[in-house]
Amino acid sequence: MAEKQFFTTEMEIIRTVSGLRDRIAEARSKGLTIGLVPTMGALHAGHMSLIDRARRENDVVVVSVFVNPTQFNNPDDLRTYPRTEEADCALLGEAGVDLAFIPAVEEIYPEPDTRIFPLGPVAEVMEGAMRPGHFNGVAQIVSKLFALTEPTRAYFGEKDFQQIAVIRRMADLEGFDLEIVACPICREADGLALSSRNVRLTPEQREIAPAIARTLMSSTEWAADHTLEQTRRYVVDTVNSFPHMQVEYFEIVDPLTMQPLSEWPAAGDAVGCITVYCGDVRLIDNIRYKAR
Ligand code: PAF
């Protein structure tokens, strides 16, 4: 049995690629398993649930905190993305994380990353269509993190449902040998999916925002005796009927290929993926429609 305790009881904050490489090489040489949780910081209970799971399933837990500029297609979104390093480090320390990797942009991108990943159809719809270049940027940073940390397992939240499919595709393309672990969405008591962007909602918007999750949940009952297109319309019209809310897209897709469906599948589940502007805050969520 590998020793569970890696180095010291204190979490180590690492800011350089070479520093991280050294620690990973040491862990590997001891035969320890490594769980990676990539984040952009502004940590909340959703991230902590990924970290808890990584802690239970691996000897060493590495959490990266890096607001990756190459995945932002909107400069305002990058500028206003919450940055809360001190609070993040306190949470990571309490959660028993071994290594917090918090690099500067120049450390990750000493020169521009010009790689284009042939991600294919999985990355062309929904977020891929609305945010050109976003998934290529995600593939750039996650491939760098995988190469650097050589994780046994990497943990991602299902709130970004399409992102997980894209990361699986990138990992296949690059030949990474690891387990990609998809973890369930964490919600507030009123149903709102946890997101770092929720802090930007005004009190009034915050009160209305749970209508997204409520509508998605009620749509699973509606789906039992309505067509896929009627269910899609029900969700769009209901969410749009609330003040401040504007649906950007709602697609019901195949959970593996991410391609929009026009009819309920004869076998297997479907997943409804929604993006809504609540004021100027872009919220995303999804729901599974179980096989009928
Ligand atoms: O989901 C996120 O927070 C980011 O897209 C990720 C996976 C950390 C890459 O920057």
Side-chain angles (χ1 to χ4, degrees), residues 15-28:
R15 297 195 186 269
T16 62
V17 163
S18 61
L20 182 62
R21 280 216 175 95
D22 288 350
R23 288 311 198 205
I24 296 296
E26 205 170 337
R28 283 275 171 212

Side-chain angles (χ1 to χ4, degrees), residues 142-148 151 170-178:
V142 176
S143 65
K144 277 180 186 272
L145 292 170
F146 283 2
L148 272 171
M170 177 281 291
D172 280 352
L173 286 169
E174 298 291 296
F176 285 114
D177 179 20
L178 82 164

